[in-house]
Amino acid sequence: MKTIQFACYLFLALSFNSCSKEDACGAETRTEIGFENYSDFLDIHNYVTADANFLSYYYYAPPDTLTSDSTITWTLQTELRNICTADHPQIDFVVYLHNADSTAIVTGMITEDSIHQQTQDLTVYKNGNYFGSTMNYTLKGHYTGSATIRVSLSLRFFSKGNFDADRDYFFSNLDIVDYRIISHKPK
């Protein structure tokens, strides 16, 4: 009887240990999106592949009546489709500035839908010139097939006085904006 119980426990232990996301999911995919020059930042980019949609754009908010501050925000967004539902995508966010700016706010965000999202301000390194962070995301939705996530990286600066000055300062100060997404496809 003890031998049968031991065999059952051993079978259960081996079954649980063999279940990992690599077993439940297919091949690993790596997506890297980056911009490194002035014209890339200024132009609106929007292109689509079989498994992804990439978009970059900027938004200028004129001065508000409470603070008299305006902001300019540049966003890089990727929608990844066909992700294994057992996956935990890893996203590495990286931003370099030519000159440190204490008003700069850099935020990484992962969104599944209007309910599930994770936002994180990036950590500032090297005297305010480098922002970086790694996010590991656990899919929260209930899926019958593959999942879709949207990864966004937003940079915001406070006003230098007017739209032209803000735009020129903002985009001339950006050096590198980049993120890497490691995920898996369904089997």
Side-chain angles (χ1 to χ4, degrees), residues 51-53 78-85 89 110-113 116 137 139-141 143 145-151:
D51 293 322
N53 182 22
T78 300
E79 179 182 85
L80 287 181
R81 298 178 292 277
N82 202 23
I83 295 176
C84 175
T85 57
I110 302 168
T111 306
E112 278 183 66
D113 50 38
H116 302 107
Y137 186 76
L139 293 167
K140 297 170 180 66
Y143 304 97
S146 62
T148 297
I149 62 170
R150 280 171 290 297
V151 177

Side-chain angles (χ1 to χ4, degrees), residues 19-173:
C19 295
S20 68
K21 78 174 179 187
E22 284 76 20
D23 292 333
C25 296
E28 178 180 282
T29 61
R30 292 174 180 254
T31 303
E32 182 170 3
I33 306 296
F35 289 88
E36 297 185 27
N37 66 60
Y38 191 85
S39 64
D40 278 343
F41 295 122
L42 285 177
D43 294 337
I44 293 174
H45 296 273
N46 186 10
Y47 53 99
V48 178
T49 68
D51 293 322
N53 182 22
F54 307 98
L55 177 65
S56 72
Y57 58 92
Y58 65 92
Y59 174 75
Y60 181 75
D64 65 38
T65 55
L66 294 176
T67 64
S68 297
D69 282 333
S70 61
T71 58
I72 188 164
T73 304
W74 185 78
T75 300
L76 176 61
Q77 178 178 295
T78 300
E79 179 182 85
L80 287 181
R81 298 178 292 277
N82 202 23
I83 295 176
C84 175
T85 57
D87 202 0
H88 303 279
Q90 175 184 313
I91 297 92
D92 296 314
F93 295 102
V94 176
V95 173
Y96 283 94
L97 303 178
H98 290 291
N99 301 299
D101 185 328
S102 62
T103 71
I105 299 170
V106 184
T107 305
M109 182 166 57
I110 302 168
T111 306
E112 278 183 66
D113 50 38
S114 60
I115 299 169
H116 302 107
Q117 68 179 14
Q118 179 179 337
T119 302
Q120 179 173 321
D121 288 337
L122 274 60
T123 305
V124 183
Y125 302 102
K126 294 187 181 177
N127 300 323
N129 287 72
Y130 167 66
F131 297 77
S133 186
T134 297
M135 293 172 71
N136 291 298
Y137 186 76
T138 300
L139 293 167
K140 297 170 180 66
H142 301 286
Y143 304 97
T144 56
S146 62
T148 297
I149 62 170
R150 280 171 290 297
V151 177
S152 300
L153 179 59
S154 294
L155 298 89
R156 186 174 71 183
F157 288 85
F158 286 94
S159 181
K160 302 300 176 194
N162 60 56
F163 173 72
D164 291 334
D166 288 346
R167 185 192 60 210
D168 291 344
Y169 169 77
F170 180 85
F171 292 114
S172 65
N173 197 25

